[in-house]
């Protein structure tokens, strides 16, 4: 069994989007500097004896540009850097794989930088939280363009006969193998978040938490809210759950968008975790 870390390019955004109140005006500092911060986009591929599991899919290769799928204002606020060579289909190709080789795709949630390549996985089982699925379809049906659920991405997969496996709100964690478990985090950063607990024979326990906790700065302690948060109570509950689980298992916690931590990880195809 092994796990590959896929580098799917970077995004840039005001740091307040990652950590709430990063720049916070006070009487003594009335004009704090803003920071257009760069942070990684990632996915994780687990190969085990009975198949392959992918956690997240990154941005779509055609996200950016004048004819890009993301609305112009969205491209300006949270631009994606990397281009097609950094996107998932190309990263899989570099490993000698294609989307059809993936058995299970677990979506941490359905925002632009995590569910951008859903349409490529016509043969996989797509696992997502039911509340997240509903939120994405609601944004689509209402024609909301300036939304983290990219209208054009949904429009590309919605007419396909994809194999969805929805995780219900009160469903317990889902064991994909005896060493890989989907963690049902519920609402927090988005409407329904899923994490992945991977128990590697040599590396040990790793909790892939995606945007349930963006960065080490959010994790703390003290915990700091992200700038994008649907349910603050749910976010805190999830952060506490992750901390307790990590302590109990002696697990590493790999955050969703931590540039510093991501820089220390071994990326495909340089190596992998066993
Ligand atoms: Zn994200």
């Amino acid at each position: 069994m092994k796990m590959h870390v896929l580098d799917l390019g970077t995004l840039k955004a005001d740091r307040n989007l990652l950590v709430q109140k990063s720049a916070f005006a006070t009487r003594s500092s009335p004009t704090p500097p803003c920071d257009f911060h760069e942070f990684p986009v990632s996915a994780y591929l687990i190969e085990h004896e009975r198949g392959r599991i992918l956690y997240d899919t990154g941005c779509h290769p055609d996200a950016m540009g004048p004819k890009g799928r993301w609305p112009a204002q969205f491209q300006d606020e949270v631009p994606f850097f990397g281009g097609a060579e950094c996107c998932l289909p190309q990263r899989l190709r570099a490993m000698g794989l294609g989307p059809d080789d993936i058995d299970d795709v677990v979506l941490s949630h359905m925002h632009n930088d995590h569910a951008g390549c859903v349409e490529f996985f016509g043969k996989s089982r797509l696992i997502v939280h039911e509340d997240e699925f509903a939120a994405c379809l609601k944004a689509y049906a209402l024609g909301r363009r300036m939304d983290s659920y990219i209208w054009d991405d949904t429009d590309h997969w919605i007419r396909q006969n994809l194999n969805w496996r929805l995780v219900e709100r009160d469903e317990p964690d889902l064991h994909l193998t005896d060493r890989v478990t989907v963690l049902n985090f519920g609402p927090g950063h988005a409407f329904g978040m899923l994490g992945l607990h991977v128990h590697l024979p040599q590396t040990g326990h790793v909790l892939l938490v995606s945007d349930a906790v963006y960065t080490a700065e959010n994790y703390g302690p003290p915990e700091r809210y992200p700038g994008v948060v649907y349910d603050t109570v749910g976010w805190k509950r999830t952060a506490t759950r992750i901390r307790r689980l990590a302590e109990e298992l002696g697990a590493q916690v790999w955050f969703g968008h931590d540039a510093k931590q991501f820089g220390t990880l071994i990326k495909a195809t340089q190596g992998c975790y066993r």
Side-chain angles (χ1 to χ4, degrees):
M1 179 186 176
K2 47 190 171 179
M3 176 160 72
H4 307 268
V5 178
L6 307 185
D7 176 352
L8 302 183
T10 60
L11 293 167
K12 274 190 179 181
D14 188 306
R15 194 185 282 273
N16 285 295
L17 213 71
L18 285 178
V19 182
Q20 226 179 71
K21 295 184 179 174
S22 283
F24 188 68
T26 60
R27 186 165 67 175
S28 58
S29 173
T31 53
C34 281
D35 172 20
F36 205 49
H37 181 66
E38 187 167 22
F39 51 94
V41 178
S42 58
Y44 302 83
L45 177 67
I46 296 127
E47 297 191 276
H48 61 94
E49 58 276 14
R50 286 185 287 114
R52 295 188 183 89
I53 300 162
L54 180 73
Y55 183 62
D56 276 342
T57 72
C59 306
H60 191 274
D62 300 331
M64 297 292 289
K67 290 184 177 164
R69 290 190 180 185
W70 295 5
Q73 190 189 335
F74 201 92
Q75 292 189 32
D76 192 43
E77 287 180 11
V78 193
F80 169 60
F81 298 90
E85 69 276 11
C86 272
C87 290
L88 185 59
Q90 191 55 39
R91 286 294 187 218
L92 289 176
R93 211 169 296 139
M95 300 173 74
L97 298 171
D100 289 355
D101 296 313
I102 310 300
D103 299 280
D104 287 328
V105 178
V106 180
L107 298 171
S108 65
H109 61 308
M110 298 194 77
H111 284 172
N112 55 312
D113 52 328
H114 299 267
C117 290
V118 161
E119 70 201 56
F120 297 110
F121 293 92
K123 290 196 175 157
S124 317
R125 180 171 67 152
L126 289 144
I127 301 171
V128 68
H129 195 287
E130 63 172 352
D131 292 338
E132 190 65 11
F133 192 70
C136 180
L137 290 183
K138 182 178 171 184
Y140 178 73
L142 296 178
R144 287 188 189 148
R145 304 279 172 160
M146 262 309 281
D147 200 299
S148 300
Y149 305 106
I150 300 297
W151 196 95
D152 270 0
D153 287 345
T154 308
D155 194 50
H156 276 79
W157 61 251
I158 199 157
R159 277 174 287 272
Q160 292 183 49
N161 192 19
L162 298 179
N163 177 17
W164 292 101
R165 163 65 166 89
L166 303 185
V167 173
E168 291 170 29
R169 197 175 292 175
D170 300 318
E171 191 176 331
D173 295 337
L174 181 66
H175 299 289
L176 299 181
T177 79
D178 56 350
R179 286 180 173 270
V180 183
T181 302
V182 176
L183 304 171
N184 185 359
F185 289 149
H189 163 72
F191 290 75
M193 303 292 299
L194 299 179
L196 205 65
H197 170 201
V198 185
H199 185 197
L200 291 158
Q202 289 169 31
T203 308
H205 296 276
V206 180
L207 303 179
L208 303 175
V209 302
S210 182
D211 294 3
V213 184
Y214 277 150
T215 67
E217 207 179 338
N218 298 98
Y219 194 50
E223 287 150 5
R224 293 187 68 185
Y225 285 124
V228 181
V229 58
Y230 157 70
D231 175 346
T232 52
V233 176
W235 187 89
K236 269 243 163 111
R237 187 175 52 231
T238 301
T240 303
R241 184 181 169 196
I242 291 166
R243 194 183 308 284
R244 286 188 184 147
L245 190 59
E247 281 169 8
E248 201 180 297
L249 299 168
Q252 301 179 43
V253 180
W254 290 5
F255 306 111
H257 291 299
D258 192 308
K260 200 169 158 194
Q261 182 187 51
F262 195 69
T264 67
L265 300 181
I266 301 160
K267 322 291 187 308
T269 52
Q270 301 301 317
C272 64
Y273 292 84
R274 291 175 190 274

